[in-house]
Amino acid sequence: MTKLSVNINKIATLRNSRGGDVPNVVQFAKDVQRFGAEGVTIHPRPDERHIRYQDAYDLKSEVYTEYNIEGNPIPKFVDMVLKIKPTQVTLVPDAENAITSNAGWDTLKHKDFLVDVIKEFKANGIRTSIFVDPDLHQIEGAKATGTDRIELYTEAFAHQFSLGNQDAIKPYMECAGLANTLQLGINAGHDLSLDNIAFFKENITGLLEVSIGHALIAESLYMGVENVIGQYLKKLK
């Protein structure tokens, strides 16, 4: 069964839009775990426009499933992760002004940097994952960094699938096959939803975890958080 990690950034966005502490991100994290989610994901950015660095610390004692912290490994981010020691750190090369993640790492160009960062995280007992585009050369490059896992950037698949193009899964299948051969764990995320998650999961051999935030929260506005999480869990079996 593929694990579902719920990205709670959008809950923090809603909280920050009004000020105060409603909705409470820590309580929401506790609730999604109670509803069956096998992990909680956050992606703090330097400007703290949604998840704040303090949220990351506050969540440490409340996430009893898998705690996944995503982000660009700038010094402040690295220091935070080393202090919290989450289950997993997912390295994402997003620019400071990016609305959302929009590209994977060039694992060939940035190999030396990634090797050093990953080595430090793994020395502290933190599982590592690299956000990558569905490109075979980038998968090979990821293996050379020493990372435990990759996270496939699924926006291209989600967009094309919504247009009826099921062939959009093929590059992901090829990359998953290579990752399995190289003994790299496979995660995936970005624009996965109830509409496409079953098809994606059925076609990606060895898919260990998906991180879903925006779609899950949007779907929950109509169907309820507990109900939506239950639907994802059924589709991921």
Side-chain angles (χ1 to χ4, degrees):
M1 180 176 171
T2 303
K3 290 185 176 181
L4 170 66
S5 185
V6 176
N7 186 316
I8 63 173
N9 276 23
K10 283 297 182 292
I11 300 303
T13 301
L14 182 58
R15 174 199 62 188
N16 296 352
S17 70
R18 184 64 181 263
D21 197 30
V22 178
N24 183 278
V25 295
V26 173
Q27 184 60 51
F28 192 83
K30 292 164 68 174
D31 288 339
V32 297
Q33 292 173 101
R34 180 165 56 87
F35 296 153
E38 293 108 340
V40 173
T41 291
I42 61 170
H43 188 149
R45 287 183 166 85
D47 61 7
E48 300 187 282
R49 63 181 179 271
H50 35 63
I51 285 290
R52 299 167 183 154
Y53 274 66
Q54 186 57 50
D55 293 328
Y57 290 100
D58 293 343
L59 287 161
K60 178 180 179 180
S61 62
E62 302 298 341
V63 179
Y64 55 84
T65 53
E66 291 207 347
Y67 191 12
N68 175 44
I69 302 181
E70 300 179 341
N72 195 329
I74 61 175
K76 181 180 179 181
F77 179 87
V78 172
D79 290 344
M80 176 194 66
V81 171
L82 291 176
K83 290 175 181 176
I84 294 174
K85 290 185 170 60
T87 315
Q88 176 176 267
V89 58
T90 301
L91 308 181
V92 183
D94 45 21
E96 291 190 13
N97 61 349
I99 294 175
T100 185
S101 305
N102 54 20
W105 283 97
D106 184 333
T107 57
L108 305 175
K109 180 179 179 180
H110 299 288
K111 175 187 174 182
D112 292 342
F113 172 71
L114 291 168
V115 165
D116 290 343
V117 171
I118 287 168
K119 187 180 298 183
E120 186 168 15
F121 286 140
K122 291 179 71 172
N124 282 271
I126 304 166
R127 189 173 73 223
T128 58
S129 180
I130 299 177
F131 195 60
V132 292
D133 296 318
D135 178 281
L136 295 175
H137 296 297
Q138 297 304 325
I139 307 303
E140 293 172 345
K143 177 63 178 180
T145 68
T147 190
D148 299 300
R149 297 186 182 185
I150 55 168
E151 179 175 330
L152 292 170
Y153 174 35
T154 51
E155 181 182 20
F157 157 75
H159 175 66
Q160 288 298 316
F161 186 82
S162 71
L163 300 176
N165 178 16
Q166 295 189 351
D167 286 344
I169 194 68
K170 290 183 179 179
Y172 296 86
M173 293 173 65
E174 293 173 355
C175 286
L178 177 58
N180 286 321
T181 298
L182 296 175
Q183 297 185 315
L184 281 172
I186 303 169
N187 299 339
H190 204 94
D191 288 348
L192 294 174
S193 69
L194 286 175
D195 292 333
N196 59 37
I197 190 63
F199 181 84
F200 187 83
K201 194 265 182 184
E202 289 166 3
N203 285 280
I204 302 301
T205 303
L207 182 62
L208 298 174
E209 173 187 295
V210 292
S211 174
I212 305 178
H214 183 81
L216 187 150
I217 301 305
E219 292 156 346
S220 296
L221 292 175
Y222 291 91
M223 295 181 283
V225 180
E226 184 172 8
N227 177 31
V228 167
I229 287 176
Q231 290 188 51
Y232 274 104
L233 295 175
K234 288 180 182 178
K235 292 174 183 290
L236 289 169
K237 285 183 178 179

